[in-house]
Amino acid sequence: MSRIDTDRLTDALYGLGWSTVKKLPEGVAVRLGRTIADAAWRRRGKGVLRLEANLARVVPDATPQRLTELSRAGMRSYMRYWMESFRLPSWSRERITAGFAAQDVDRLKGALADDRGVILALPHMGNYDLAGVWVTTALGVPFTTVAERLKPESLYDRFVAYREGLGMEVLPHTGGAAFGTLARRLRAGGLVCLVADRDLSSSGVEVDFFGHAAKMPAGPAMLAARTGAILLPVTLWYDRSPVMRGRIHPEVEVPAEGTTAEKTAVMTQALADAFASGIADHPEDWHMLQRLWLDDLEPRDAARGTETP
């Protein structure tokens, strides 16, 4: 199959998900998601194997049996994210408001009232789209985010339209214009939300993450250092209920001394530490099916700060 045919098939499958899954009764969608997740887990494809390898760093004392249990739970969590995301546009205001419960949400409310601008930085945990639409719905606060450019372009357009339909302003990840726009939004007292546990550029900051070197995006810390905005880490997880849980971590403060690069490095490490605390508590809800740690990257990709799919 050619790349063009594969791209078309991928786009068609996602289109089917958004058009069909959202019409299913919730219980049916939950069971379907679990069935798909278990089938993918049993196939032991490269995504499942990578997830297990990543979890082995997060839970280094886990037995092989424990790792396979975690990866199965991880695939179920990952598919729950997709099933919820396909259905979010059809959820009522009441369902959205009741669908997320955050610890220490007063930290976010207080930061928003401060009017310095707020940056929420999250790892790939739980369902950050649900958390985002909860912010726009329950708190009534619009925000700006950045989306990775996907292939095919039509799939990227679907994601942008989906997220904009949920009340988000979406900027493309590629190009330097996004940083300037985000800085302007923050200086105007706005809210910016960024998924920030995997570097997609050559400018990431090296951090210690679960005892091993990884690179994470410099953007959240650099934006806070340059604009004076409040930087808050957030972690998300599922329990056995239909409600997603989350925690607003304490502010990552800008160091009083040092160059911008030095301040950015210190703050990005603090973000990594906050992410690690949440992931350690709920490893099955960290949806990292790609290479992350520098030791795992191909040499040519590690040199430019990215990794092969």
Side-chain angles (χ1 to χ4, degrees):
M1 183 180 290
S2 70
R3 176 59 185 267
I4 293 177
D5 289 339
T6 301
D7 287 350
R8 287 175 176 169
L9 176 60
T10 300
D11 185 43
L13 289 173
Y14 278 104
L16 181 64
W18 269 301
S19 64
T20 302
V21 173
K22 69 180 181 181
K23 298 176 183 177
L24 296 175
E26 187 157 354
V28 174
V30 169
R31 291 191 294 273
L32 176 61
R34 180 163 292 195
T35 298
I36 295 171
D38 287 350
W41 178 79
R42 285 192 294 269
R43 282 200 299 272
R44 309 290 293 164
K46 63 181 182 181
V48 173
L49 295 177
R50 174 47 49 193
L51 177 62
E52 284 187 10
N54 290 340
L55 288 170
R57 293 191 186 268
V58 173
V59 191
D61 58 348
T63 63
Q65 180 180 355
R66 174 60 175 153
L67 283 177
T68 57
E69 291 171 351
L70 278 175
S71 69
R72 184 179 189 181
M75 291 304 295
R76 288 182 172 184
S77 175
Y78 184 49
M79 194 52 59
R80 177 173 171 176
Y81 158 75
W82 280 110
M83 287 298 179
E84 286 181 348
S85 294
F86 287 143
R87 293 171 55 76
L88 269 179
S90 66
W91 281 14
S92 67
R93 182 184 183 89
E94 292 73 23
R95 178 68 179 87
I96 291 168
T97 301
F100 178 51
Q103 299 174 9
D104 301 311
V105 71
D106 286 343
R107 286 183 177 137
L108 173 57
K109 293 179 179 178
L112 292 169
D114 194 274
D115 206 31
R116 286 192 285 146
V118 179
I119 305 161
L120 296 181
L122 309 88
H124 286 80
M125 287 187 79
N127 187 339
Y128 36 86
D129 287 326
L130 172 55
V133 75
W134 182 87
V135 168
T136 63
T137 302
L139 300 185
V141 179
F143 67 87
T144 304
T145 189
V146 174
E148 176 186 358
R149 280 204 174 275
L150 303 171
K151 296 294 183 181
E153 190 73 15
S154 55
L155 180 58
Y156 170 76
D157 292 340
R158 283 184 186 273
F159 270 98
V160 170
Y162 155 69
R163 288 182 170 136
E164 287 179 342
L166 297 176
M168 311 175 192
E169 179 187 22
V170 183
L171 307 176
H173 178 270
T174 54
F179 188 93
T181 302
L182 294 173
R184 287 193 295 273
R185 299 291 183 270
L186 292 168
R187 290 189 178 106
L191 175 64
V192 165
C193 300
L194 300 170
V195 180
D197 58 344
R198 185 164 67 95
D199 182 42
L200 297 173
S201 71
S202 59
S203 58
V205 175
E206 186 170 324
V207 297
D208 179 276
F209 195 52
F210 289 100
H212 301 273
K215 280 193 172 183
M216 292 189 178
M222 191 175 293
L223 282 166
R226 290 188 177 179
T227 67
I230 298 169
L231 176 56
L232 297 174
V234 179
T235 52
L236 309 170
W237 66 92
Y238 293 120
D239 57 19
R240 296 182 182 275
S241 77
V243 179
M244 184 178 71
R245 309 292 172 174
R247 180 189 175 198
I248 314 297
H249 293 255
E251 176 184 357
V252 174
E253 297 185 353
V254 180
E257 298 180 352
T259 65
T260 298
E262 290 168 342
K263 293 176 180 179
T264 298
V266 171
M267 296 171 71
T268 304
Q269 181 63 62
L271 272 183
D273 292 343
F275 293 166
S277 70
I279 292 167
D281 288 341
H282 306 280
E284 68 277 11
D285 292 313
W286 186 44
H287 307 149
M288 186 55 65
L289 280 68
Q290 298 84 20
R291 299 176 190 268
L292 177 72
W293 282 275
L294 299 187
D295 288 347
D296 296 334
L297 301 186
E298 298 291 339
R300 66 181 184 278
D301 299 304
R304 67 173 184 257
T306 61
E307 98 292 328
T308 51

